[in-house]
Amino acid sequence: DTAVSQTPKYLVTQMGNDKSIKCEQNLGHDTMYWYKQDSKKFLKIMFSYNNKELIINETVPNRFSPKSPDKAHLNLHINSLELGDSAVYFCASSPRDIDTGELFFGEGSRLTVL
Amino acid sequence: SQKIEQNSEALNIQEGKTATLTCNYTNYSPAYLQWYRQDPGRGPVFLLLIRENEKEKRKERLKVTFDTTLKQSLFHITASQPADSATYLCALGDYKLSFGAGTTVTVRA
């Protein structure tokens, strides 16, 4: 049973389109995250939610909008996609707010914008 | 600005040897440091955590040291095996977890 699952795993789309990536965790964790891993392999935090409340919002264009309908789900919607949005997006969860809890990552969603 | 640097991008070693990876940081005062393993096409997997008041942590063949004066962590894989081949990421924790770019380790049989 997958702990943190993301869909879709691959997404190829044209510039200007809008797309969503979904994430679900069955670990009972309170905190969920979106990270972006670019071509140079840097993992950068984008957003963090604790029990459906946004607690971290890094410098991310407002074309990116996270939504957490409940604490087990965190979706990422991207409007007006640009070439530079091409990356692998990872969802993660942790047992508690930013403390020393380890992150449990999903397998990633590779977004390619043409 | 804050920076996390992991030594080389790639490390090639012979099976049975010890791999030593370095994580240096500037302009951070992390409360803890974590190491993750990432295989191609997969998400990172947590390996070890060490707090700022701890000098060393061990888990099976893995050992991590943390020197807040030098602003450096060393990650050792002893008696390395081909199955240890992967990219290893260090991550610093303050109010969020920030990652280095990783070091790719290849263990030759």
Side-chain angles (χ1 to χ4, degrees), chain B residues 57-74:
Chain B
K57 252 318 179 36
R58 290 175 186 261
K59 179 183 175 182
E60 298 170 355
R61 294 183 295 108
L62 307 179
K63 185 178 89 169
V64 173
T65 63
F66 193 12
D67 189 326
T68 54
T69 302
L70 289 179
K71 296 187 184 298
Q72 181 182 80
S73 174
L74 298 178

Side-chain angles (χ1 to χ4, degrees), chain B residues 34-50:
Chain B
Q34 299 181 1
W35 284 88
Y36 287 77
R37 169 185 172 137
Q38 186 174 22
D39 291 287
R42 309 294 298 273
V45 175
F46 173 82
L47 295 174
L48 278 167
L49 177 149
I50 186 165

Side-chain angles (χ1 to χ4, degrees), chain B residues 16-109:
Chain B
K17 301 292 187 185
T18 296
T20 298
L21 284 63
T22 305
C23 177
N24 294 300
Y25 58 92
T26 53
N27 297 320
Y28 271 103
S29 295
Y32 57 92
L33 188 147
Q34 299 181 1
W35 284 88
Y36 287 77
R37 169 185 172 137
Q38 186 174 22
D39 291 287
R42 309 294 298 273
V45 175
F46 173 82
L47 295 174
L48 278 167
L49 177 149
I50 186 165
R51 297 171 192 267
E52 60 177 336
N53 60 350
E54 297 175 319
K55 295 292 185 189
E56 183 179 297
K57 252 318 179 36
R58 290 175 186 261
K59 179 183 175 182
E60 298 170 355
R61 294 183 295 108
L62 307 179
K63 185 178 89 169
V64 173
T65 63
F66 193 12
D67 189 326
T68 54
T69 302
L70 289 179
K71 296 187 184 298
Q72 181 182 80
S73 174
L74 298 178
F75 177 82
H76 307 271
I77 308 171
T78 59
S80 60
Q81 304 167 359
D84 296 326
S85 299
T87 297
Y88 293 86
L89 307 169
C90 73
L92 272 59
D94 41 31
Y95 76 97
K96 64 181 180 183
L97 202 59
S98 300
F99 286 82
T103 298
T104 298
V105 174
T106 303
V107 181
R108 303 187 307 274

Side-chain angles (χ1 to χ4, degrees), chain A:
Chain A
D1 215 11
T2 306
V4 180
S5 58
Q6 302 178 222
T7 54
K9 189 169 173 65
Y10 299 98
L11 195 50
V12 181
T13 189
Q14 300 286 332
M15 273 176 52
N17 284 349
D18 304 339
K19 289 294 177 186
S20 292
I21 307 172
K22 295 186 176 182
C23 179
E24 175 182 3
Q25 55 96 1
N26 62 6
L27 298 168
H29 291 166
D30 287 333
T31 309
M32 296 185 71
Y33 312 81
W34 278 111
Y35 277 83
K36 177 181 179 180
Q37 190 169 43
D38 60 24
S39 57
K40 294 186 178 178
K41 305 299 183 187
F42 274 105
L43 261 175
K44 291 182 183 174
I45 190 166
M46 301 173 69
F47 303 103
S48 174
Y49 271 75
N50 181 256
N51 216 355
K52 301 193 297 175
E53 183 183 345
L54 181 67
I55 55 171
I56 291 178
N57 184 351
E58 291 292 286
T59 310
V60 177
N62 55 17
R63 298 182 294 104
F64 291 79
S65 51
K67 280 192 174 50
S68 182
D70 56 61
K71 75 173 195 176
H73 295 84
L74 180 62
N75 304 322
L76 183 66
H77 188 76
I78 316 170
N79 289 327
S80 304
L81 279 157
E82 300 178 357
L83 293 177
D85 298 333
S86 295
V88 182
Y89 293 84
F90 285 98
C91 176
S93 70
S94 68
R96 51 191 172 274
D97 194 359
I98 313 293
D99 189 7
T100 56
E102 63 185 89
L103 295 186
F104 292 76
F105 283 88
E107 294 296 333
S109 297
R110 180 176 292 276
L111 171 66
T112 302
V113 182
L114 304 175

